[in-house]
Amino acid sequence: MLRFDVVTLFPEMFAAVTESGITRRALERGLWQIACWNPRQWAGNAYGSVDDRPFGGGPGMVMRAEPLEKAIGAAKAARGGTGKVIYLSPQGQPLTHARVKSLAGSDGAILLCGRYEGIDERVIARCVDEEVSLGDFVLSGGEIAALALIDATVRQLPGALNDEASAAEDSFADGLLDCPHYTRPEVYEGMPVPEVLLSGHHENIRRWRLKQSLARTRERRPELFAKWLAQRVARGLSKIEAQLLREIEAESNAAALRSS
Ligand code: 9D3
C-alpha cells in the first residue's frame, strides 16, 4: 500500500491532499495513507526551537539535525523500520513522470520538508536517499513540493481516477503536451469550436488531437519533442505519425515564409 510519512513543521498544509479532490477520494477508498511527523515534538529544549544560526555566519536559520532525525526515526518505526527518505530541496533532481510512476508502484516514502535556509547537511548525509526538486524557482519550503509529489503519485494509482483511461492518456504519459479542449457553447465571444470536434468522426478527431499535441510540443517544448521523436523513430514511426509530422513541418515553413 502506498504510504507517505511527511516530516514537516506545517502538518496542516497536508489538508490540501487529504480534504480535497482526487487525492481525498483515493484516501477514502483506502488506496493510500499519510501521516505527518512534526520535528517540533522533538525540539528537546524549553523553547521548542527547531532552527539555529548557521555556522560560518550569513542570513537566515538552519533546521537542527536532532529534531529532524528523531522525526525521521519515528516515521521509519511506524513503517516497520524501513522506508526511503526523499528530501524536497532546490538542490535535488527535477521531479519527472518517470519518478512519479516509480513511486506509485512502490510502498511510498518518507518526505522530508525543509524550512528556513534548509537543513543541517549531516541529516542529508546520514538519512536522505534521494533529493528531489520541482524546478529552478524559489519556494518558501518543501511542503508545496511534497504536496505536488503526493498529488502526482496518488492520481497514478489504479482506481484513483473515475475515468480509468485518464492517467495513461495524461500529458507526459506519452511524452507530448496535451491537445486543446473545448466545451459548450459552440461559439464563445465569436470564437467557434474547431469543426472536426463537432463532426462525430472519431478517427479524424483522434488524428486532429494528435496533430495538435505534436505541433504544440514542437513549438513550445522543442527538447521534449526531440526526445519523443528519437524514441518513436527508434521504435518506428506509424504511418499517421509520419504524415502528421510532414503536415506540421510544411505548415510551420509556410507560416515562417508569411511572416518574413
Ligand atoms: C532565498 C533562499 N535561498 C538562498 C539563496 C535558498 C533557498 C532555501 C530554501 C531557496 C528555497 C528554499 C526552500 N525551498 C524548498 O524547500 C524547495 C524547493 C524550491 O524552492 N524550489 C523548487 N523545488 C523545491 S523542493 C523544496
Side-chain angles (χ1 to χ4, degrees):
M1 159 97 75
L2 182 72
R3 173 182 169 119
F4 289 109
D5 287 277
V6 187
V7 174
T8 173
L9 291 173
F10 297 97
E12 68 279 5
M13 289 181 70
F14 291 82
V17 286
T18 60
E19 299 297 329
S20 301
I22 288 167
T23 49
R24 174 190 179 157
R25 202 179 56 216
L27 195 63
E28 288 166 355
R29 288 179 179 169
L31 300 181
W32 68 292
Q33 301 176 326
I34 184 169
C36 289
W37 306 90
N38 192 337
R40 199 168 297 284
Q41 201 181 320
W42 293 275
N45 58 44
Y47 321 99
S49 66
V50 292
D51 61 334
D52 207 339
R53 291 170 304 167
F55 278 123
M61 300 291 270
V62 175
M63 289 181 82
R64 294 168 46 223
E66 188 179 282
L68 287 173
E69 278 217 26
K70 287 185 166 160
I72 293 167
K76 275 226 166 109
R79 300 174 68 96
T82 58
K84 186 166 75 178
V85 177
I86 301 178
Y87 175 39
L88 288 309
S89 124
Q91 284 75 47
Q93 292 296 121
L95 185 61
T96 59
H97 181 67
R99 192 181 288 274
V100 166
K101 285 297 288 182
S102 158
L103 255 177
S106 79
D107 61 358
I110 297 167
L111 304 180
L112 181 53
C113 301
R115 281 275 154 170
Y116 317 114
E117 289 306 302
I119 74 178
D120 191 302
E121 188 69 19
R122 291 164 293 190
V123 175
I124 302 176
R126 285 166 49 83
C127 306
V128 170
D129 299 301
E130 289 181 28
E131 229 170 308
V132 171
S133 166
L134 282 198
D136 297 335
F137 50 89
V138 179
L139 296 171
S140 303
E143 284 80 6
I144 289 183
L147 286 164
L149 183 152
I150 292 168
D151 180 85
T153 305
V154 168
R155 58 179 286 105
Q156 294 298 325
L157 296 175
L161 303 180
N162 275 329
D163 179 359
E164 281 305 320
S166 295
E169 282 176 12
D170 264 349
S171 171
F172 299 113
D174 65 354
L176 292 175
L177 301 185
D178 208 355
C179 62
H181 302 284
Y182 299 87
T183 187
R184 292 191 297 177
E186 277 183 30
V187 181
Y188 176 71
E189 296 286 314
M191 300 170 77
V193 170
E195 223 171 64
V196 61
L197 298 180
L198 310 174
S199 69
H201 193 307
H202 298 299
E203 179 62 38
N204 285 355
I205 292 169
R206 262 199 327 121
R207 188 188 150 86
W208 180 87
R209 286 181 170 156
L210 178 56
K211 184 173 175 180
Q212 293 291 317
S213 283
L214 287 166
R216 281 179 153 191
T217 310
R218 178 179 176 276
E219 175 69 21
R220 300 182 191 185
R221 299 287 305 277
E223 81 299 343
L224 207 61
F225 182 72
K227 217 167 125 184
W228 179 90
L229 194 56
Q231 219 173 48
R232 274 311 158 97
V233 165
R235 282 189 220 165
L237 276 175
S238 75
K239 211 173 142 195
I240 287 186
E241 286 167 346
Q243 172 66 30
L244 291 177
L245 289 171
R246 277 193 301 272
E247 289 177 19
I248 290 164
E249 191 77 25
E251 285 162 23
S252 162
N253 288 340
L257 267 179
R258 278 197 304 280
S259 66
S260 74

